[in-house]
Structures are given as C-alpha cells and as structure tokens.
Amino acid sequence: MTHAAADTRYDDMPYRRVGRSGLKLPAVSLGLWHNFGDGDRTTDVQRAVLRRAFDLGVTHFDLANNYGPPPGSAEENFGRHFRRDLRPYRDELVISTKAGYGMWAGPYGEWGSRKSLLSSLDQSLGRLGLEHVDIFYSHRPDPETPIEETMGALDSAVRQGKALYVGISNYSPEQTAEAARVLRELGTPLLVHQPSYSMVNRWIEDGLQDVLDTVGAGSVVFSPLAQGLLTDRYLNGVPADSRAASDSPFLTSDRLTEETLGKVRALNDIAKRRGQTLAQMAIAWVLRGGRVTSALVGASSVAQLEDTVAATANLEFDPDELAEVERLL
C-alpha cells in the first residue's frame, strides 16, 4: 500500500534557502551513504526510516552512484521504496546523486570526464527509476580533467532535463571558485557544495564558506557527527562493536585518545544543559548562524532518525555556550 504521508509533515521542520537560489532544503537531510546497501539493514527498516523521515519534514534524500555496498545498491533500494511509498509525493522531494568515485571497470568508471559523469547519471536514473534528479553533483575534483569539461558535463545534465540543479563535493575553496565561474559562464549556476563539517572538522571555515557566500551557493554538510564521535557512543570508552574498534577508515581507534574523549564528555555536559543529546547539539552547532543550509545525517533506525531530527527544536546558542565550545575545541 502506498504511504499516506502525515498531514503534519511541514509543521516543525525549518527550511533554508540554498544560497541565492529559489530552492529550500530542510535543516536536516537524510543521507543514504550508510545503511541502505544490500544487507546493511532489512528492507523493512530502510522503508520505515524513509517513511518516517518524510513524515518529519525531511524532504531531501541524498545518494551517490557508489553508495552501498555493493556500489549502486543504495540507489536501487531507494528506488524500490520510492516506487512503493513516495512516488505520489515526487514534487515534494529533493533527490540528489553524485558521480566521481570508482563505479565500474575501465578508464571511464570514475573521476570527472564528460563520458564518466553523464554515463553514470544515466545509470543512476535507471537504478532510481526517475526521469531526473533534483541535484547532480561532481563527487570530487579530477586532477587530470579540465574543470571546464567536468562543469560542462554538469551543465549538459541540466540542459538534457536529467537534473534540475548541479553541485560539487570535496572541492577546495579555490576549485570551488573556479567551478562556480565556469558554470556561471555556461548559464547553469552552482547551487551547492557538499563538504564534510563538524565540531572537530572545521576546514570549511578556512575560506570555503566565504567563497560560497561570494558565489551565492549553499552547503549541505556531511559527517556532522564525526562518524559517531559526537554521540553518546564513546562517552565511556570504545565499545568492542563500534566503528572505531574495527578501525574503520573513517574513525580509527588512534583518534580516540583520552584527551579527545575528555573533550567529548565536556561537550556532552554542555548538551545536557541545553536539554539536548550530544548528537543533537552537534547538529545544531553546524547549523548555527545560518551559513550551512542543511546537515546531512544517516540513520540506522527510526528511533535514531527521530532523535537526530529533534535537534531542530533548539538551533540557537547563546554567546557563553559558543565560547565554552570554542575553548574545548
């Protein structure tokens, strides 16, 4: 049975304009990087998370061609749930995907050539079962392909009706400024950049945010919880079944020094005083001041999703709280 979305879905979620565009995104977006591959979670859990997300006002669902595992499976699984539950609400949704990391064998299966990007987009649309995506990203800069070719491919995606907007991810401030210039000359403005950003990973403050303000682009930040570090997961040490204990490339055990864990516990104390979990405060922190458009989060369960989205109930920090956080970081 097709999902009947909650009538209250727009009551509580804040929406923010993306740069100088007419598009608005929810303050919290759902990323399908983890938890939507084959075998990651049962189909029923994936379906429940997507349905609940939309009921909570999360209208933006973010994918990439290589999300899984295996690569492509997150798009396939999302497409299956979309057809079953969300197709009647297509015009209320912002669905994004990306290309640039390794996807298939041979010289055209990754990076940023016109051949690779447009072929990948066609494959993604097939897996998703869509005629177009709302945002198509270059997932990473290609050191061997002229940026004019990569941005030209994004422009072509829009002109072919396969994407409404275009974005970039993992580009430096200088590369972002150049990408925006090329796209502006082509007539397809840069809508958004998707960088990593969290309390413990603040690289975008060193120039990138200023560039985005100048060119009129927004930002959708990933890993705002620092791969789980900024949650209650590690308050009492490193659990045996945690990502850090398995030496995940995204959160290795050598990062979890006693000094780091002490800072995390102190941040947790601030969160408690705010009436939030540490994860909720971490989400609110990246959204502070309005320079970030949306925080991109994953969810392995409905309960985790609900806890994260609840961060939007308190996005304001007083000066003393911000100063205390700065001292810790």
Side-chain angles (χ1 to χ4, degrees):
M1 180 182 296
T2 299
H3 179 53
D7 292 337
T8 57
R9 60 188 178 278
Y10 296 115
D11 288 358
D12 298 318
M13 176 65 70
Y15 295 86
R16 296 181 169 192
R17 190 171 301 279
V18 190
R20 291 197 289 266
S21 77
L23 184 67
K24 292 183 178 181
L25 293 179
V28 171
S29 299
L30 184 63
L32 279 65
W33 180 16
H34 299 300
N35 305 318
F36 276 80
D38 291 345
D40 276 347
R41 294 291 181 273
T42 68
T43 297
D44 288 344
V45 171
Q46 293 176 358
R47 184 185 187 198
V49 167
L50 289 172
R51 290 165 58 144
R52 183 60 177 149
F54 186 48
D55 283 349
L56 292 172
V58 177
T59 55
H60 178 212
F61 299 98
D62 181 78
L63 299 118
N65 60 348
N66 65 326
Y67 288 178
S73 61
E75 289 181 326
E76 290 175 348
N77 289 328
F78 177 83
R80 188 177 304 114
H81 298 306
F82 169 81
R83 289 187 293 275
R84 188 174 181 183
D85 291 320
L86 298 176
R87 185 181 293 278
Y89 306 99
R90 175 65 181 97
D91 293 337
E92 297 182 43
L93 305 179
V94 174
I95 300 170
S96 60
T97 196
K98 315 176 197 71
Y101 283 94
M103 188 61 190
W104 65 88
Y108 320 120
E110 63 178 328
W111 296 110
S113 71
R114 181 179 183 85
K115 167 71 172 175
S116 178
L117 291 181
L118 294 180
S119 295
S120 179
L121 178 55
D122 284 341
Q123 293 175 19
S124 290
L125 292 175
R127 287 188 289 267
L128 292 166
L130 299 176
E131 294 181 355
H132 72 272
V133 291
D134 297 281
I135 307 170
F136 181 50
Y137 288 89
S138 167
H139 207 164
R140 60 173 172 171
D142 184 342
E144 297 184 354
T145 297
I147 200 166
E148 290 80 4
E149 179 176 343
T150 300
M151 296 304 109
L154 297 184
D155 173 68
S156 292
V158 172
R159 296 183 185 279
Q160 292 171 4
K162 296 176 181 178
L164 300 185
Y165 301 93
V166 297
I168 57 177
S169 182
N170 301 306
Y171 279 55
S172 71
E174 296 76 18
Q175 292 166 330
T176 298
E178 181 65 4
R181 180 193 66 80
V182 173
L183 284 168
R184 183 170 58 250
E185 292 179 355
L186 291 170
T188 298
L190 175 67
L191 175 78
V192 66
H193 190 299
Q194 189 175 125
S196 60
Y197 184 48
S198 72
M199 285 179 162
V200 296
N201 173 22
R202 300 175 63 171
W203 74 275
I204 71 171
E205 297 174 9
D206 188 20
L208 180 61
Q209 287 184 315
D210 291 337
V211 170
L212 295 177
D213 289 344
T214 299
V215 303
S219 58
V220 174
V221 300
F222 68 88
S223 296
L225 304 181
Q227 298 297 319
L229 176 62
L230 298 173
T231 70
D232 62 6
R233 185 76 163 138
Y234 299 101
L235 294 177
N236 299 309
V238 182
D241 62 345
S242 67
R243 184 174 293 169
S246 64
D247 274 336
S248 160
F250 304 109
L251 182 62
T252 56
S253 57
D254 58 6
R255 286 182 57 193
L256 298 180
T257 63
E258 189 53 40
E259 179 183 4
T260 297
L261 293 178
K263 291 179 179 180
V264 170
R265 295 182 189 110
L267 289 170
N268 187 60
D269 290 339
I270 301 173
K272 286 181 179 179
R273 295 200 301 269
R274 288 171 50 83
Q276 292 182 313
T277 65
L278 176 55
Q280 289 168 346
M281 185 179 76
I283 296 293
W285 186 89
V286 300
L287 293 168
R288 78 199 186 285
R291 297 187 82 181
V292 166
T293 310
S294 184
L296 190 61
V297 303
S300 59
S301 68
V302 169
Q304 186 182 61
L305 172 74
E306 291 173 339
D307 179 76
T308 303
V309 171
T312 61
N314 182 12
L315 297 179
E316 301 300 321
F317 288 80
D318 66 42
D320 290 341
E321 288 173 332
L322 289 175
E324 189 173 1
V325 169
E326 287 297 318
R327 287 194 295 271
L328 288 170
L329 300 179

